[in-house]
Amino acid sequence: MSETSSKASDDVQLQGIADAVRETFRTAEELATAFMREAIIRGMYRPGERLHQESIAALLGLSRMPIRAGLRQLELEGLVSIQPHRSARVTSLTPVGIREIYELRVLIECYLIDQVIPHLTEDVVAKLRERCTSLE
């Protein structure tokens, strides 16, 4: 695929993401944050890639202010790294970061299981067994 057709395909996919999130958020900042988060998660913006505020603002029909606010939120979430007066880039996970995420998931999921077990009924257990059997 040529670079031009790849760019056009990416633009169509980004517009699809923008259209999908546009209906679900009330503020411009929420829209910008949700759009960029979803585009990063879907791999439309790749690790290390610079996020161009002007093009994102134009795509969403917003000013740069909500884009900047969204970038700050995504930096707090660890998805973006902001270098003041320079750029914002998609972060990439290191092996240490991936290990930390999985360790946290184990802790959280074990805690949630401990919270749920006392409330399980026989009907729920039977349904869970059926699902396990179907997965096997």
Side-chain angles (χ1 to χ4, degrees):
M1 184 184 319
S2 74
E3 188 173 323
T4 305
S5 62
S6 176
K7 172 86 170 100
S9 174
D10 287 352
D11 289 347
V12 168
Q13 290 181 16
L14 287 172
Q15 188 61 55
I17 294 170
D19 293 342
V21 298
R22 186 170 276 117
E23 299 297 321
T24 59
F25 295 93
R26 292 176 288 195
T27 69
E29 182 180 332
E30 288 174 341
L31 171 64
T33 305
F35 166 77
M36 291 184 289
R37 181 186 299 114
E38 190 65 24
I40 291 168
I41 289 169
R42 290 189 188 188
M44 296 304 303
Y45 296 132
R46 292 166 184 82
E49 184 174 346
R50 183 173 178 230
L51 298 174
H52 299 276
Q53 293 179 32
E54 300 83 11
S55 61
I56 295 170
L59 180 67
L60 296 175
L62 301 173
S63 71
R64 287 178 46 195
M65 291 298 288
I67 306 305
R68 280 195 290 266
L71 288 169
R72 284 191 299 273
Q73 175 60 39
L74 294 177
E75 183 178 40
L76 292 173
E77 294 175 17
L79 293 173
V80 171
S81 173
I82 297 175
Q83 297 171 341
H85 309 293
R86 296 190 66 206
S87 65
R89 295 188 180 274
V90 177
T91 57
S92 56
L93 289 176
T94 64
V96 171
I98 293 168
R99 186 175 60 244
E100 287 175 0
I101 289 169
Y102 278 99
E103 288 172 356
L104 287 171
R105 284 191 63 184
V106 167
L107 291 172
I108 292 168
E109 290 172 11
C110 288
Y111 171 78
L112 292 173
I113 289 170
D114 286 343
Q115 298 301 305
V116 168
I117 286 176
H119 305 286
L120 290 178
T121 64
E122 288 300 321
D123 291 338
V124 172
V125 172
K127 288 178 185 175
L128 289 171
R129 284 196 176 116
E130 286 175 24
R131 288 189 181 167
C132 286
T133 301
S134 69
L135 289 173
E136 291 173 354

